[in-house]
Amino acid sequence: MLRAARAGDGQVVFDVTRRSVEGLATRDYSAEQIAGWMGDRTPAFYETLIANGRMLVAERDGNVVAFVDADPGEVTRLFILPEATGLGLGAKLLNIGVDQARSGHVGPVRLEATLNAEGFYRRHGFKSVGRGTFSHGLGGDPIEIVHMEL
């Protein structure tokens, strides 16, 4: 089931992000990078994003297992629990995020892909346009990302 994120979902969205990183990014990032990934983020950080009204969560058996968030022109966040991968949910959420990013925006849709997610985005039509470090973080060490466009 897909639904708009609502006030009070900050903790679960925080947990999905953390668990996704810990379970899916270990092949491409060091243990130190994984440990510092969340930086100074807190559930309150996600509550602020939720209040913007653009975040969508996916539930399975009443539990949030993934979410997507977008700004005009950019899919800013897409995280999924490791146990929910491979079911087509990521593709569904990406399509929703792209649609949201296109709303009120003319031009390419951008995103910052983690190294472990680059192939997923390529399979869905995104092209690499450069490399850099993650810019949506709060504290923590910089991590390498791939700038992509659709």
Side-chain angles (χ1 to χ4, degrees):
M1 177 179 112
L2 301 176
R3 65 168 174 82
R6 55 186 176 239
D9 282 339
Q11 180 67 55
V12 72
V13 170
F14 174 89
D15 292 341
V16 167
T17 305
R18 183 183 47 76
R19 288 180 54 205
S20 177
V21 169
E22 291 172 354
L24 300 174
T26 57
R27 186 188 74 222
D28 296 290
Y29 296 98
S30 71
E32 293 79 22
Q33 288 171 310
I34 299 291
W37 196 293
M38 298 301 284
D40 295 329
R41 287 184 199 94
T42 64
F45 168 77
Y46 292 96
E47 288 292 343
T48 300
L49 296 175
I50 290 166
N52 291 332
R54 294 184 298 264
M55 187 182 293
L56 187 79
V57 299
E59 290 184 339
R60 187 172 61 184
D61 300 326
N63 297 307
V64 174
V65 298
F67 72 96
V68 66
D69 195 27
D71 289 333
E74 183 177 18
V75 177
T76 54
R77 290 164 195 83
L78 194 165
F79 287 91
I80 188 166
L81 292 178
E83 60 268 25
T85 61
L87 305 172
L89 182 56
K92 187 174 200 171
L93 288 175
L94 178 59
N95 288 333
I96 291 167
V98 167
D99 287 346
Q100 288 178 329
R102 285 187 171 140
S103 179
H105 173 76
V106 176
V109 171
R110 300 173 320 276
L111 58 78
E112 295 181 352
T114 56
L115 300 178
N116 56 292
E118 180 182 9
F120 166 78
Y121 292 118
R122 281 187 188 283
R123 287 190 300 276
H124 293 282
F126 280 82
K127 307 277 188 247
S128 293
V129 294
R131 292 194 177 263
T133 55
F134 185 60
S135 69
H136 295 294
L138 276 175
D141 293 331
I143 61 163
E144 184 181 2
I145 53 91
V146 181
H147 296 283
M148 303 187 86
E149 290 183 352
L150 178 66

